[in-house]
Each structure stands twice: as structure tokens, then as C-alpha cells.
């Protein structure tokens, strides 16, 4: 019978000598400004993709409606929706007025699409 001996798989690594290269105050500033410049350059290149078209958008004929106490967006939209689609009318009113919610305040002026009956 033969004898098998194994060498240790992992031997401790020799201690590394500490680097003597250090950044000065000016060096840190140069590294920071270079990094900042690169980040801004990438941001500008990525933002270049958000470009409008050359064609103007279609204008929707609108009128101004003043909200009275007790009015709701659903109520105003239901009066204006001639085809019975109240939800799409609500979405149009929200989009035209950049509303974040359906909450209205008395005295508020809303731009609503002109309906032809």
C-alpha cells in the first residue's frame, strides 16, 4: 500500500507592504471634479434623447368652468360626457388642468373640453 500526502490547499498570504502613494488635497480635488464632469457628461447625453417633435400637437377647444360648493369632478364630467363615458371625460379634465387628484375646491376654475350636442 502507498501513502498519499497532501499539501495544504490554502497557505497564508504574505503580508502586503503598505502603499506610500497618497493623494494630496489638490489630487483629491482633481479626482472629484473629473468624476463630477463625467457624471454630468453622461447625464447630458442621456437627456438628449428626450426631444419633442417638430409637429405641433392638436389643440382641443376648451371652456372655463368655475367649481361651486358641492361640485365633484365626476358630476362635472357626467354633465359634459355626451357619449356616456364619464371616466374618459374625467381623465381629459384631469390632464387639461394637471390635477393630481379628483379633489376640487369651491371657486376653482377648470378648463373643460367643449362638447357639441
Amino acid at each position: 500500500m502507498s501513502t498519499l500526502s497532501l499539501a495544504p490547499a490554502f497557505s497564508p498570504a504574505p503580508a502586503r507592504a503598505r502603499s506610500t502613494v497618497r493623494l494630496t488635497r489638490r489630487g483629491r480635488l482633481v479626482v472629484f471634479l473629473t468624476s463630477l464632469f463625467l457624471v454630468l457628461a453622461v447625464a447630458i447625453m442621456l437627456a438628449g434623447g428626450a426631444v419633442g417633435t417638430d409637429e405641433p400637437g392638436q389643440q382641443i377647444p376648451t371652456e372655463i368652468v368655475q367649481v361651486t360648493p358641492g361640485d365633484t369632478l365626476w358630476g362635472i364630467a357626467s354633465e359634459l360626457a355626451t357619449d356616456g363615458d364619464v371616466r374618459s371625460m374625467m381623465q381629459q379634465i384631469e390632464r387639461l388642468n394637471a390635477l393630481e387628484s379628483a379633489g376640487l375646491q369651491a371657486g376653482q376654475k377648470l378648463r373643460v373640453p367643449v362638447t357639441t350636442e
Side-chain angles (χ1 to χ4, degrees), residues 9 21 27 34 40 45 48 51 57 67 73-74 89 93 104 109 116:
V21 177
T34 303
L40 288 175
M45 282 190 261
V51 179
V67 178
L73 188 58
W74 180 270
M89 182 60 72
I93 295 172
L104 301 176
K109 294 183 181 179
T116 56

Side-chain angles (χ1 to χ4, degrees), residues 16 21 27 53-54 58:
R16 286 185 160 185
V21 177
T53 63
D54 292 334
Q58 181 182 9

Side-chain angles (χ1 to χ4, degrees), residues 1 15 17-19 22 27 47 59 70 73 79 99-100 105 109:
M1 213 176 227
R18 200 155 187 225
S19 175
R22 294 179 186 224
Q59 289 187 358
L73 188 58
E79 290 176 9
L99 298 176
E100 293 180 7
Q105 296 179 358
K109 294 183 181 179

Side-chain angles (χ1 to χ4, degrees), residues 66-85:
Q66 187 164 359
V67 178
T68 58
D71 279 348
T72 62
L73 188 58
W74 180 270
I76 294 171
S78 64
E79 290 176 9
L80 295 171
T82 55
D83 60 352
D85 193 5

